[in-house]
Amino acid sequence: MQQAIAYIKESLRDYYSGSEISGLCRILIEYIVDESYFNALVKDIIFSEDQRAILVSLIERLKAYEPIQYIMEEAEFFGLPFFVNCNVLIPRPETEELVELILNENPQPNLQVLDIGTGSGAIAIALAKYMKEAGIAAWDFSYKALDIAVLNSKKNNTDISFRLVDVVKDYPTDRKYDIIVSNPPYVMESEKVAIERNVLDYEPHSALFVPDDKALLFYDKIADIALELLHPSGKLYFEINQVKGQDTVRLLQDKGFKDVTLFQDLNMNDRMVQAVLA
Ligand code: GLN
């Protein structure tokens, strides 16, 4: 076992920080031996030829900065397990804060909720799991993402109505909602230079990027949908680009939303907006 650990540390030294390597080491070993890290150490498991080959190939992928969540095909969101691959964004901690905000602000049962651009299904599934008797719907324009969201809904035993919808084109108007939530693409093309390779080379660009001159394109569209599909006094929640806080607030106020409130994430960046349909 010590040999395998030394090999992992040595191979990744020039690519990741010490604490990242410790985390990766644990994940790799647990994945390969299918036992806890602790057991692997105590039993001093010696890798078979096959296991060694698997380790080498995983290390190569990590050296190319492929996110560990895609390699393992699993990510955790709000304490729940999600299958992920390159067709969906890896759920982010900021988005957990958005879910937490919605749960705190909406404790009443039987709410109808719509998640637009659900991706892996993270927001919709966490809400389905933790809101009392809510009716949850979720849309995405990518059928590859929707397949994954459906799989994740099953994995987490939630009942969600998924639909293939491209909001820029057309959308169903047969249902009204108490809450509409979205974490749409919001990273501007000009911000690409600051994006890490693990994100840029692997995560779906259609879920991340918007043109600089139309940075709020999805917010504009989704706000209009909310005007049409929210019940009176329904609420709209967005995750936002931290540099677009005030612009998003103004956009929503101009459309007639009330109590438009900006919230910061744990890093104190403007990250969420809540608005009420008067
Ligand atoms: N927060 C994500 C990132 O920084 C972006 C998510 C999004 O565009 N909705 O990569």
Side-chain angles (χ1 to χ4, degrees):
M1 187 48 50
Q2 288 312 322
Q3 225 177 342
I5 294 172
Y7 168 71
I8 294 169
K9 290 192 170 157
E10 176 59 29
S11 311
L12 297 179
R13 206 179 50 192
D14 295 339
Y15 299 85
Y16 295 92
S17 71
S19 65
E20 284 171 324
I21 294 173
S22 303
L24 290 170
C25 183
R26 201 185 181 95
I27 295 169
L28 290 172
I29 289 188
E30 290 188 345
Y31 178 77
I32 293 169
V33 302
D34 202 20
E35 296 235 25
S36 72
Y37 191 54
F38 178 77
N39 275 351
L41 286 177
V42 171
K43 293 187 194 165
D44 196 18
I45 294 173
I46 304 297
F47 278 16
S48 67
E49 200 63 28
D50 285 353
Q51 287 174 321
R52 232 173 286 159
I54 293 169
L55 179 59
V56 170
S57 80
L58 296 178
I59 291 282
E60 287 313 306
R61 291 170 72 177
L62 284 169
K63 282 180 171 176
Y65 295 108
E66 183 170 350
I68 186 71
Q69 292 92 336
Y70 287 157
I71 299 176
M72 301 287 120
E73 296 188 315
E74 184 159 275
E76 194 186 287
F77 180 80
F78 226 78
L80 303 168
F82 285 82
F83 172 89
V84 290
N85 67 21
C86 62
N87 293 307
V88 294
L89 281 190
I90 297 165
R92 308 285 204 265
E94 298 90 287
T95 313
E96 293 182 319
E97 293 188 58
L98 178 67
V99 168
E100 204 175 336
L101 175 71
I102 297 172
L103 291 176
N104 287 339
E105 302 257 322
N106 302 279
Q108 59 277 51
N110 296 310
L111 293 174
Q112 296 301 309
V113 182
L114 170 63
D115 175 19
I116 298 182
T118 196
S120 65
I123 295 175
I125 291 165
L127 292 177
K129 206 81 194 163
Y130 295 111
M131 286 182 99
K132 284 187 219 99
E133 289 144 56
I136 314 270
W139 299 347
D140 206 283
F141 88 111
S142 155
Y143 71 89
K144 289 182 180 170
L146 267 192
D147 277 351
I148 294 176
V150 168
L151 190 121
N152 282 325
S153 178
K154 287 202 187 107
K155 195 178 169 87
N156 286 289
N157 284 317
T158 54
D159 183 14
I160 295 169
S161 152
F162 289 104
R163 277 172 102 150
L164 187 67
V165 177
D166 182 351
V167 290
V168 180
K169 296 191 178 128
D170 203 8
Y171 54 91
T173 54
D174 56 344
R175 234 175 113 174
K176 297 257 177 188
Y177 303 94
D178 301 294
I179 293 173
I180 293 180
V181 54
S182 185
N183 172 21
Y186 61 63
V187 182
M188 288 179 283
E189 293 285 345
S190 60
E191 294 176 310
K192 261 189 188 167
V193 284
I195 303 271
E196 306 273 354
R197 274 189 61 189
N198 59 335
V199 175
L200 203 57
D201 292 353
Y202 293 94
E203 299 204 75
H205 284 200
S206 61
L208 286 170
F209 296 110
V210 283
D212 283 55
D213 61 346
K214 288 192 206 141
L216 297 182
L217 138 89
F218 291 104
Y219 296 85
D220 189 46
K221 187 70 210 179
I222 293 165
D224 287 341
I225 294 174
L227 288 174
E228 187 181 347
L229 298 188
L230 277 178
H231 284 306
S233 79
K235 291 184 197 164
L236 177 60
Y237 289 89
F238 278 132
E239 181 174 319
I240 60 158
N241 185 325
Q242 65 200 63
V243 303
K244 291 288 177 187
Q246 292 307 332
D247 291 348
T248 313
V249 168
R250 212 167 311 119
L251 175 105
L252 294 175
Q253 285 169 340
D254 288 349
K255 287 187 187 286
F257 284 90
K258 298 282 176 301
D259 298 334
V260 184
T261 318
L262 199 51
F263 295 87
Q264 284 75 42
D265 62 19
L266 283 175
N267 298 317
M268 297 312 286
N269 293 316
D270 288 343
R271 186 65 64 204
M272 294 155 277
V273 173
Q274 173 190 273
V276 181
L277 190 67

